[in-house]
Amino acid sequence: MVSKILLAVSAVLIIASLALIFVYVPTEKTMGVVQRIFYWHVPLAWNSFLAFFIVFISSIAYLWKRSPKWDILANASAEVGVVFTTLFLISGSVWAKPVWGVWWTWEPRLTTALVLWLVYIAYLLVRSYASSSERGARFAAVVGIVGFLDVPIVFLSITLWRTQHPSPVIFTGGLVPAMLLTLIVSIFAFTALYGLLLVQRVAFRKDEADLKRMKRLVESD
Amino acid sequence: MTFWRKALAITWKDVLSEFRAREIITSVLVFTILVIVIFNFAFGETVDMVAVAPGMLWVTFTFAGVLSLNRSFILEKEGGCFEGLLVSPASREAIYTGKMLASFVFLLVIEVIALPIFAFLFNLAVLTPQIIVITLMATVGFVACGTLFSALATNTRARELVLPILFLPVVVPVIISAVNASAIALSGQSWGDMAGWLEILGAFDVVFLTVAYLVFEYIIEE
């Protein structure tokens, strides 16, 4: 039921967001049409941070309560987070080429995003390396906590190192109302999509666990 | 102070067995010298040594750290000593602290020998108080999170492979800070110029000592 509502909401919002981006919103003066990437790039980035924050919280909850549901939630959120991070790294890169003249630059936000991506790839790998799924869950939870706490330090150190990415102009009134509206709709669209993918992955993991349990029952008879 | 007595007993055990077997320090030291020599081939003699030296130094120490931290728990596992540690009256936190201090000592010994070799081979003034403070602070950061990940890696199927995958992205701030602070030190600038970097190293050390201390028990529980 939740899944169906989320599917409907994200479908409607994503179509609305596409319409706003390609029909409604005015073209940005200096960067031109490529700036429209911004309206999906930023929501993807925000939602991947949200996803990793959920991983962090559920990892703590798992180590504390030891209920598999927290582990399933953390794992699902990390998967969606890694997909979103991959997408915003790619979309940022496509945007950077015409605007900055390069696909990639070793700038704080980009580099932090790349390190973040590597940490959560490791998070997903650790689980598969562990000899039992319970152990894998514990190890992953530790990586989920340590990795998240590392992010601000990574960001600080890279900021001290170099800077080129534009500072966020969203809250300082740098966006005209039409652009702000498009951005907000896109953010809601991607948050709904994140919710949908999360619910789907959690349901999938639960089914997987149920299947394993039933298989064991059958085999033990 | 029974906590410290137990932790130091574990450290002493590691130092003693290393002193008798000379397994970690000798091989990591040879590896370190090899890396320095290979860097020399990679860069040749045309480049400005002061510009590339900080990077070479910290890439070398990072790899040396991965190698020696990997051995830390694998030796316990191979000898079946790990179960012994777990049933001993030492708390999980004491085990972490003891193992972490032992790795700290090993890495320091390696660095104390490698730094003069580095200075000798590349004609660089790396034996200054500034470089020594940077090295100490970065090494604390390495062992603080490295000991946690080493214990984790040993309990997986892929073992040696897992530590670098986890360790390298997480110690990025240490590497950036150490490289940049060393560059400042080598170009003869003052302590004030590198304060920002030392602050980040300090913050990393404090955060990772605390977090690793708190979560270590979840890694080694059977």
Side-chain angles (χ1 to χ4, degrees):
Chain A
M1 189 57 203
V2 181
S3 178
K4 282 203 179 106
I5 295 170
L6 281 167
L7 177 64
V9 171
S10 48
V12 169
L13 282 175
I14 283 183
I15 293 168
S17 147
L18 280 172
L20 287 172
I21 292 170
F22 289 106
V23 183
Y24 167 73
V25 83
T27 304
E28 208 261 351
K29 216 186 289 170
T30 47
M31 286 187 263
V33 79
V34 72
Q35 184 268 346
R36 285 166 205 260
I37 289 177
F38 165 81
Y39 305 106
W40 276 27
H41 176 75
V42 172
L44 280 167
W46 280 19
N47 277 294
S48 54
F49 287 119
L50 173 69
F52 296 142
F53 181 67
I54 301 284
V55 175
F56 175 64
I57 298 293
S58 346
S59 296
I60 295 176
Y62 176 72
L63 289 183
W64 189 16
K65 299 279 186 200
R66 291 309 166 90
S67 155
K69 72 172 184 205
W70 289 114
D71 175 54
I72 290 175
L73 182 63
N75 194 10
S77 190
E79 287 173 334
V80 183
V82 166
V83 172
F84 277 18
T85 310
T86 312
L87 290 176
F88 89 73
L89 282 172
I90 295 172
S91 66
S93 194
V94 172
W95 184 11
K97 182 65 184 166
V99 175
W100 292 339
V102 284
W103 293 107
W104 182 264
T105 164
W106 295 98
E107 177 283 336
R109 285 182 191 79
L110 274 77
T111 315
T112 308
L114 184 64
V115 173
L116 197 67
W117 187 75
L118 288 166
V119 167
Y120 285 92
I121 294 277
Y123 172 94
L124 294 177
L125 284 176
V126 156
R127 203 176 281 274
S128 59
Y129 289 142
S131 48
S132 74
S133 60
E134 190 271 337
R135 194 177 254 183
R138 263 191 290 127
F139 289 178
V142 166
V143 178
I145 294 169
V146 171
F148 190 78
L149 293 173
D150 195 39
V151 175
I153 313 179
V154 172
F155 184 70
L156 271 179
S157 61
I158 305 170
T159 308
L160 199 54
W161 185 39
R162 49 186 63 166
T163 281
Q164 179 176 15
H165 193 285
S167 326
V169 287
I170 298 153
F171 299 113
T172 50
L175 285 182
V176 297
M179 289 179 168
L180 192 62
L181 173 73
T182 310
L183 179 66
I184 288 171
V185 170
S186 306
I187 286 174
F188 279 115
F190 276 91
T191 311
L193 181 66
Y194 164 69
L196 172 68
L197 292 173
L198 189 68
V199 169
Q200 290 284 339
R201 287 305 288 175
V202 167
F204 179 80
R205 293 281 175 205
K206 284 201 173 128
D207 290 348
E208 206 177 49
D210 283 348
L211 261 179
K212 265 187 196 152
R213 201 163 35 85
M214 284 189 262
K215 211 171 151 193
R216 266 203 303 275
L217 276 175
V218 172
E219 277 167 356
S220 64
D221 279 341
Chain B
M1 291 302 269
T2 49
F3 172 84
W4 282 105
R5 280 192 55 192
K6 285 169 188 163
L8 288 175
I10 294 171
T11 309
W12 179 239
K13 163 195 82 71
D14 275 12
V15 170
L16 201 63
S17 85
E18 176 58 29
F19 188 71
R20 300 212 171 121
R22 292 208 181 80
E23 199 174 322
I24 297 174
I25 292 179
T26 318
S27 37
V28 174
L29 204 60
V30 172
F31 170 81
T32 306
I33 296 170
L34 280 170
V35 173
I36 295 175
V37 171
I38 287 172
F39 262 125
N40 173 58
F41 299 141
F43 290 127
E45 284 183 0
T46 48
V47 289
D48 174 20
M49 262 312 155
V50 178
V52 293
M56 275 166 66
L57 192 65
W58 287 101
V59 169
T60 310
F61 284 168
T62 307
F63 288 154
V66 170
L67 270 192
S68 82
L69 283 162
N70 242 334
R71 295 309 293 171
S72 167
F73 279 93
I74 284 176
L75 284 179
E76 302 275 4
K77 207 72 179 177
E78 281 172 355
C81 311
F82 200 64
E83 286 72 20
L85 269 183
L86 289 181
V87 297
S88 76
S91 66
R92 307 298 193 240
E93 288 81 11
I95 297 177
Y96 169 74
T97 311
K99 294 297 287 181
M100 191 259 301
L101 286 175
S103 292
F104 184 64
V105 172
F106 296 165
L107 267 180
L108 271 192
V109 171
I110 292 161
E111 287 161 352
V112 161
I113 303 173
L115 271 176
I117 296 177
F118 202 76
F120 169 77
L121 286 176
F122 294 108
N123 193 24
L124 286 169
V126 292
L127 294 170
T128 60
Q130 287 177 324
I131 296 278
I132 290 166
V133 168
I134 296 164
T135 307
L136 278 174
M137 289 180 80
T139 309
V140 170
F142 279 172
V143 296
C145 78
T147 304
L148 178 73
F149 289 148
S150 169
L152 192 161
T154 315
N155 284 306
T156 61
R157 275 189 309 251
R159 287 197 173 182
E160 284 94 338
L161 219 61
V162 178
L163 180 62
I165 290 176
L166 288 173
F167 179 77
L168 293 177
V170 171
V171 296
V172 159
V174 176
I175 299 174
I176 296 177
S177 309
V179 168
N180 286 284
S182 305
I184 291 170
L186 282 180
S187 61
Q189 285 166 277
S190 71
W191 288 95
D193 296 324
M194 62 168 80
W197 296 115
L198 294 183
E199 277 163 21
I200 289 177
L201 278 177
F204 185 95
D205 292 356
V206 171
V207 169
F208 276 86
L209 282 174
T210 317
V211 176
Y213 181 89
L214 291 174
V215 299
F216 186 72
E217 60 172 307
Y218 300 111
I219 293 294
I220 59 169
E221 92 190 11
E222 283 304 307

mmCIF file of all heavy atoms in Angstrom, chain B residues 41-67:
data_model
loop_
_atom_site.group_PDB
_atom_site.id
_atom_site.type_symbol
_atom_site.label_atom_id
_atom_site.label_comp_id
_atom_site.label_asym_id
_atom_site.label_seq_id
_atom_site.Cartn_x
_atom_site.Cartn_y
_atom_site.Cartn_z
ATOM 1 N N PHE B 41 62.357 5.692 -9.372
ATOM 2 C CA PHE B 41 62.262 5.351 -10.797
ATOM 3 C C PHE B 41 61.081 6.065 -11.438
ATOM 4 O O PHE B 41 61.131 6.479 -12.590
ATOM 5 C CB PHE B 41 62.086 3.839 -10.985
ATOM 6 C CG PHE B 41 63.234 3.040 -10.452
ATOM 7 C CD1 PHE B 41 63.024 1.840 -9.798
ATOM 8 C CD2 PHE B 41 64.541 3.501 -10.593
ATOM 9 C CE1 PHE B 41 64.079 1.109 -9.308
ATOM 10 C CE2 PHE B 41 65.604 2.767 -10.095
ATOM 11 C CZ PHE B 41 65.372 1.565 -9.456
ATOM 12 N N ALA B 42 59.983 6.165 -10.673
ATOM 13 C CA ALA B 42 58.763 6.754 -11.229
ATOM 14 C C ALA B 42 58.972 8.230 -11.540
ATOM 15 O O ALA B 42 58.465 8.730 -12.536
ATOM 16 C CB ALA B 42 57.604 6.571 -10.256
ATOM 17 N N PHE B 43 59.713 8.937 -10.676
ATOM 18 C CA PHE B 43 59.864 10.375 -10.870
ATOM 19 C C PHE B 43 61.142 10.763 -11.598
ATOM 20 O O PHE B 43 61.226 11.838 -12.169
ATOM 21 C CB PHE B 43 59.794 11.104 -9.530
ATOM 22 C CG PHE B 43 58.426 11.080 -8.928
ATOM 23 C CD1 PHE B 43 58.222 10.639 -7.626
ATOM 24 C CD2 PHE B 43 57.328 11.493 -9.659
ATOM 25 C CE1 PHE B 43 56.963 10.609 -7.084
ATOM 26 C CE2 PHE B 43 56.059 11.466 -9.114
ATOM 27 C CZ PHE B 43 55.884 11.020 -7.823
ATOM 28 N N GLY B 44 62.135 9.917 -11.525
ATOM 29 C CA GLY B 44 63.404 10.272 -12.141
ATOM 30 C C GLY B 44 64.078 11.397 -11.392
ATOM 31 O O GLY B 44 63.716 11.702 -10.253
ATOM 32 N N GLU B 45 65.039 12.040 -12.034
ATOM 33 C CA GLU B 45 65.780 13.085 -11.315
ATOM 34 C C GLU B 45 65.442 14.482 -11.816
ATOM 35 O O GLU B 45 65.992 15.468 -11.346
ATOM 36 C CB GLU B 45 67.283 12.835 -11.451
ATOM 37 C CG GLU B 45 67.730 11.701 -10.549
ATOM 38 C CD GLU B 45 69.231 11.465 -10.610
ATOM 39 O OE1 GLU B 45 69.920 12.188 -11.354
ATOM 40 O OE2 GLU B 45 69.686 10.558 -9.901
ATOM 41 N N THR B 46 64.500 14.513 -12.765
ATOM 42 C CA THR B 46 64.209 15.813 -13.358
ATOM 43 C C THR B 46 63.298 16.672 -12.484
ATOM 44 O O THR B 46 63.287 17.879 -12.610
ATOM 45 C CB THR B 46 63.533 15.634 -14.727
ATOM 46 O OG1 THR B 46 62.491 14.684 -14.561
ATOM 47 C CG2 THR B 46 64.506 15.158 -15.764
ATOM 48 N N VAL B 47 62.503 16.026 -11.606
ATOM 49 C CA VAL B 47 61.509 16.804 -10.872
ATOM 50 C C VAL B 47 62.102 17.430 -9.616
ATOM 51 O O VAL B 47 63.121 17.008 -9.095
ATOM 52 C CB VAL B 47 60.300 15.924 -10.473
ATOM 53 C CG1 VAL B 47 59.485 15.586 -11.678
ATOM 54 C CG2 VAL B 47 60.743 14.699 -9.727
ATOM 55 N N ASP B 48 61.398 18.430 -9.134
ATOM 56 C CA ASP B 48 61.782 19.115 -7.907
ATOM 57 C C ASP B 48 61.423 18.213 -6.717
ATOM 58 O O ASP B 48 60.252 17.947 -6.467
ATOM 59 C CB ASP B 48 61.020 20.446 -7.841
ATOM 60 C CG ASP B 48 61.248 21.153 -6.528
ATOM 61 O OD1 ASP B 48 62.251 20.831 -5.867
ATOM 62 O OD2 ASP B 48 60.419 22.012 -6.174
ATOM 63 N N MET B 49 62.420 17.741 -6.017
ATOM 64 C CA MET B 49 62.202 16.783 -4.938
ATOM 65 C C MET B 49 61.340 17.348 -3.799
ATOM 66 O O MET B 49 60.524 16.652 -3.219
ATOM 67 C CB MET B 49 63.556 16.304 -4.391
ATOM 68 C CG MET B 49 63.966 14.985 -4.981
ATOM 69 S SD MET B 49 62.582 13.898 -4.874
ATOM 70 C CE MET B 49 62.805 12.758 -6.108
ATOM 71 N N VAL B 50 61.535 18.629 -3.489
ATOM 72 C CA VAL B 50 60.759 19.218 -2.390
ATOM 73 C C VAL B 50 59.263 19.187 -2.724
ATOM 74 O O VAL B 50 58.412 19.048 -1.853
ATOM 75 C CB VAL B 50 61.237 20.654 -2.093
ATOM 76 C CG1 VAL B 50 60.424 21.295 -0.989
ATOM 77 C CG2 VAL B 50 62.714 20.637 -1.705
ATOM 78 N N ALA B 51 58.946 19.270 -4.021
ATOM 79 C CA ALA B 51 57.536 19.282 -4.413
ATOM 80 C C ALA B 51 56.903 17.903 -4.311
ATOM 81 O O ALA B 51 55.736 17.779 -3.934
ATOM 82 C CB ALA B 51 57.394 19.821 -5.842
ATOM 83 N N VAL B 52 57.643 16.848 -4.646
ATOM 84 C CA VAL B 52 57.035 15.511 -4.648
ATOM 85 C C VAL B 52 57.299 14.731 -3.357
ATOM 86 O O VAL B 52 56.596 13.774 -3.056
ATOM 87 C CB VAL B 52 57.481 14.658 -5.861
ATOM 88 C CG1 VAL B 52 56.948 15.232 -7.145
ATOM 89 C CG2 VAL B 52 58.978 14.484 -5.898
ATOM 90 N N ALA B 53 58.293 15.169 -2.573
ATOM 91 C CA ALA B 53 58.661 14.407 -1.376
ATOM 92 C C ALA B 53 57.519 14.184 -0.390
ATOM 93 O O ALA B 53 57.338 13.050 0.080
ATOM 94 C CB ALA B 53 59.842 15.080 -0.675
ATOM 95 N N PRO B 54 56.705 15.214 -0.052
ATOM 96 C CA PRO B 54 55.627 14.956 0.929
ATOM 97 C C PRO B 54 54.688 13.851 0.455
ATOM 98 O O PRO B 54 54.301 12.979 1.235
ATOM 99 C CB PRO B 54 54.882 16.295 1.010
ATOM 100 C CG PRO B 54 55.844 17.302 0.537
ATOM 101 C CD PRO B 54 56.710 16.616 -0.474
ATOM 102 N N GLY B 55 54.350 13.874 -0.831
ATOM 103 C CA GLY B 55 53.473 12.844 -1.371
ATOM 104 C C GLY B 55 54.101 11.466 -1.280
ATOM 105 O O GLY B 55 53.485 10.510 -0.842
ATOM 106 N N MET B 56 55.385 11.388 -1.690
ATOM 107 C CA MET B 56 56.095 10.103 -1.625
ATOM 108 C C MET B 56 56.128 9.571 -0.206
ATOM 109 O O MET B 56 55.866 8.394 0.057
ATOM 110 C CB MET B 56 57.548 10.304 -2.079
ATOM 111 C CG MET B 56 57.736 10.228 -3.552
ATOM 112 S SD MET B 56 59.349 10.872 -4.012
ATOM 113 C CE MET B 56 60.432 9.693 -3.264
ATOM 114 N N LEU B 57 56.468 10.467 0.718
ATOM 115 C CA LEU B 57 56.600 10.076 2.122
ATOM 116 C C LEU B 57 55.301 9.475 2.634
ATOM 117 O O LEU B 57 55.287 8.398 3.240
ATOM 118 C CB LEU B 57 56.954 11.335 2.927
ATOM 119 C CG LEU B 57 57.418 11.125 4.350
ATOM 120 C CD1 LEU B 57 58.736 10.386 4.339
ATOM 121 C CD2 LEU B 57 57.581 12.476 5.047
ATOM 122 N N TRP B 58 54.173 10.145 2.341
ATOM 123 C CA TRP B 58 52.919 9.699 2.941
ATOM 124 C C TRP B 58 52.273 8.537 2.205
ATOM 125 O O TRP B 58 51.581 7.732 2.819
ATOM 126 C CB TRP B 58 51.975 10.879 3.182
ATOM 127 C CG TRP B 58 52.533 11.621 4.339
ATOM 128 C CD1 TRP B 58 53.259 12.765 4.312
ATOM 129 C CD2 TRP B 58 52.534 11.167 5.695
ATOM 130 N NE1 TRP B 58 53.708 13.069 5.564
ATOM 131 C CE2 TRP B 58 53.272 12.113 6.438
ATOM 132 C CE3 TRP B 58 51.990 10.077 6.368
ATOM 133 C CZ2 TRP B 58 53.476 11.990 7.812
ATOM 134 C CZ3 TRP B 58 52.186 9.949 7.731
ATOM 135 C CH2 TRP B 58 52.914 10.897 8.433
ATOM 136 N N VAL B 59 52.506 8.435 0.917
ATOM 137 C CA VAL B 59 52.048 7.226 0.218
ATOM 138 C C VAL B 59 52.807 6.023 0.793
ATOM 139 O O VAL B 59 52.228 4.983 1.094
ATOM 140 C CB VAL B 59 52.268 7.342 -1.306
ATOM 141 C CG1 VAL B 59 52.060 6.001 -1.987
ATOM 142 C CG2 VAL B 59 51.305 8.355 -1.893
ATOM 143 N N THR B 60 54.117 6.199 0.994
ATOM 144 C CA THR B 60 54.932 5.118 1.552
ATOM 145 C C THR B 60 54.440 4.721 2.947
ATOM 146 O O THR B 60 54.236 3.540 3.234
ATOM 147 C CB THR B 60 56.404 5.572 1.641
ATOM 148 O OG1 THR B 60 56.787 6.110 0.391
ATOM 149 C CG2 THR B 60 57.300 4.416 1.993
ATOM 150 N N PHE B 61 54.238 5.722 3.804
ATOM 151 C CA PHE B 61 53.800 5.410 5.172
ATOM 152 C C PHE B 61 52.387 4.828 5.204
ATOM 153 O O PHE B 61 52.069 3.999 6.047
ATOM 154 C CB PHE B 61 53.880 6.658 6.059
ATOM 155 C CG PHE B 61 55.289 7.009 6.468
ATOM 156 C CD1 PHE B 61 55.585 8.229 7.055
ATOM 157 C CD2 PHE B 61 56.330 6.101 6.266
ATOM 158 C CE1 PHE B 61 56.890 8.548 7.423
ATOM 159 C CE2 PHE B 61 57.637 6.407 6.636
ATOM 160 C CZ PHE B 61 57.907 7.644 7.219
ATOM 161 N N THR B 62 51.521 5.274 4.284
ATOM 162 C CA THR B 62 50.164 4.730 4.257
ATOM 163 C C THR B 62 50.196 3.242 3.896
ATOM 164 O O THR B 62 49.550 2.417 4.558
ATOM 165 C CB THR B 62 49.297 5.483 3.227
ATOM 166 O OG1 THR B 62 49.377 6.875 3.502
ATOM 167 C CG2 THR B 62 47.851 5.044 3.299
ATOM 168 N N PHE B 63 50.997 2.890 2.876
ATOM 169 C CA PHE B 63 51.083 1.477 2.485
ATOM 170 C C PHE B 63 51.761 0.656 3.569
ATOM 171 O O PHE B 63 51.336 -0.476 3.857
ATOM 172 C CB PHE B 63 51.807 1.339 1.143
ATOM 173 C CG PHE B 63 50.983 1.805 -0.014
ATOM 174 C CD1 PHE B 63 51.560 2.267 -1.181
ATOM 175 C CD2 PHE B 63 49.591 1.780 0.061
ATOM 176 C CE1 PHE B 63 50.790 2.702 -2.246
ATOM 177 C CE2 PHE B 63 48.813 2.211 -0.993
ATOM 178 C CZ PHE B 63 49.416 2.677 -2.145
ATOM 179 N N ALA B 64 52.792 1.228 4.181
ATOM 180 C CA ALA B 64 53.445 0.525 5.283
ATOM 181 C C ALA B 64 52.445 0.291 6.406
ATOM 182 O O ALA B 64 52.418 -0.783 7.026
ATOM 183 C CB ALA B 64 54.632 1.350 5.789
ATOM 184 N N GLY B 65 51.594 1.296 6.664
ATOM 185 C CA GLY B 65 50.570 1.169 7.695
ATOM 186 C C GLY B 65 49.601 0.034 7.380
ATOM 187 O O GLY B 65 49.291 -0.790 8.238
ATOM 188 N N VAL B 66 49.136 -0.023 6.124
ATOM 189 C CA VAL B 66 48.200 -1.085 5.731
ATOM 190 C C VAL B 66 48.841 -2.458 5.955
ATOM 191 O O VAL B 66 48.233 -3.356 6.542
ATOM 192 C CB VAL B 66 47.786 -0.934 4.247
ATOM 193 C CG1 VAL B 66 47.019 -2.158 3.776
ATOM 194 C CG2 VAL B 66 46.930 0.302 4.067
ATOM 195 N N LEU B 67 50.102 -2.602 5.522
ATOM 196 C CA LEU B 67 50.785 -3.897 5.666
ATOM 197 C C LEU B 67 50.920 -4.304 7.118
ATOM 198 O O LEU B 67 50.589 -5.435 7.495
ATOM 199 C CB LEU B 67 52.187 -3.812 5.062
ATOM 200 C CG LEU B 67 52.372 -4.150 3.604
ATOM 201 C CD1 LEU B 67 53.848 -4.272 3.305
ATOM 202 C CD2 LEU B 67 51.676 -5.457 3.272
#
